[in-house]
Amino acid sequence: MTKQNTRKAETRKSLLEASGRMFKKEGFDGIGVDGIANAAGATSGAFYAHLKSKNDAFRMALEAGLDEVIETIPDYQRQYGKGWVDAFSRYYLGAAHRKDRACGCAMTAMSPDVARADADTRELYDLKMDRIADLIARGLPGAVEEERRKSAWAFLSILIGALTTARAMADEKLAEEVANAALPVALAAASGCEIS
């Protein structure tokens, strides 16, 4: 690879990483092309040369963010065995993850913008989230696949909703209260228990 090609590849990578961080931190409407380019140490011209449009950058950042979750879940399952759901939930709802919006999970940070995105982006989201639910379901107890999938969707929805609510809180005590209230409910959902 020539120096010029290496530099182009590095610029593209920087722009993709900056897109992910900035969309997670600021939301789609909260950041523009100039802001993303600046965060990557690039020009707006470089942004358009590599990523074409803000919508394309969002879609690529979403895909990269959800792929990260797809890689992380099996890692938790291998590392923690039967305790993976507890470990993952505590990390997901933990203070460090709540406070790190720019490097946090795309499921929570980007889903609200996906709801207003174009059909291609929403189709990509469906595909990736279905894969995430499947990976979670495979790691849950129970013999019936359909029941494990229901539990996986409930588990995901509780975690994403709780993290969204906790991140919206200005008061850290309230954010912690939300996370602490959601944790046992998420664990119960993952175990297939009825939630009362």
Side-chain angles (χ1 to χ4, degrees), residues 171-187:
D171 184 332
E172 181 55 29
K173 285 184 181 180
L174 286 176
E176 191 70 24
E177 187 177 338
V178 169
N180 288 338
L183 180 62
V185 179
L187 295 175

Side-chain angles (χ1 to χ4, degrees), residues 87-100:
F88 183 78
S89 300
R90 290 180 188 283
Y91 158 75
Y92 203 85
L93 296 173
H97 189 231
R98 282 198 316 266
K99 293 175 183 177
D100 191 2

Side-chain angles (χ1 to χ4, degrees), residues 92-94 97-98 105 108 158-168:
Y92 203 85
L93 296 173
H97 189 231
R98 282 198 316 266
C105 179
T108 296
I158 292 163
L159 290 181
I160 293 167
L163 184 57
T164 300
T165 303
R167 282 182 171 175

Side-chain angles (χ1 to χ4, degrees), residues 1-19:
M1 187 180 268
T2 67
K3 272 188 174 181
Q4 184 178 10
N5 287 342
T6 300
R7 195 168 41 251
K8 283 182 179 181
E10 288 171 358
T11 300
R12 179 178 172 79
K13 182 180 177 193
S14 293
L15 285 163
L16 284 171
E17 289 172 353
S19 293

Side-chain angles (χ1 to χ4, degrees), residues 16-28 31 36 54-67 92 101-102 104-117 121-122 124-125 129 160 163-164 167:
L16 284 171
E17 289 172 353
S19 293
R21 285 191 316 272
M22 300 312 290
F23 285 130
K24 288 176 191 175
K25 184 178 179 188
E26 305 294 340
F28 185 84
I31 190 72
I36 294 168
K54 185 177 169 185
N55 286 336
D56 286 348
F58 181 80
R59 188 178 308 111
M60 286 184 260
L62 175 69
E63 183 170 20
L66 295 179
D67 282 345
Y92 203 85
R101 295 171 198 264
C105 179
M107 292 188 301
T108 296
M110 298 177 83
S111 290
D113 288 320
V114 172
R116 295 180 290 276
T121 301
R122 294 185 73 191
L124 170 71
Y125 180 82
M129 289 299 291
I160 293 167
L163 184 57
T164 300
R167 282 182 171 175

Side-chain angles (χ1 to χ4, degrees), residues 101-166:
R101 295 171 198 264
C103 293
C105 179
M107 292 188 301
T108 296
M110 298 177 83
S111 290
D113 288 320
V114 172
R116 295 180 290 276
D118 61 40
D120 289 342
T121 301
R122 294 185 73 191
E123 187 175 311
L124 170 71
Y125 180 82
D126 288 1
L127 179 73
K128 297 294 183 179
M129 289 299 291
D130 185 59
R131 177 78 176 120
I132 291 166
D134 183 56
L135 288 169
I136 290 171
R138 288 182 195 178
L140 297 181
V144 180
E145 182 181 346
E146 183 180 331
E147 292 302 316
R148 290 194 322 267
R149 290 247 328 154
K150 284 181 185 177
S151 294
W153 282 120
F155 175 68
L156 270 173
S157 298
I158 292 163
L159 290 181
I160 293 167
L163 184 57
T164 300
T165 303

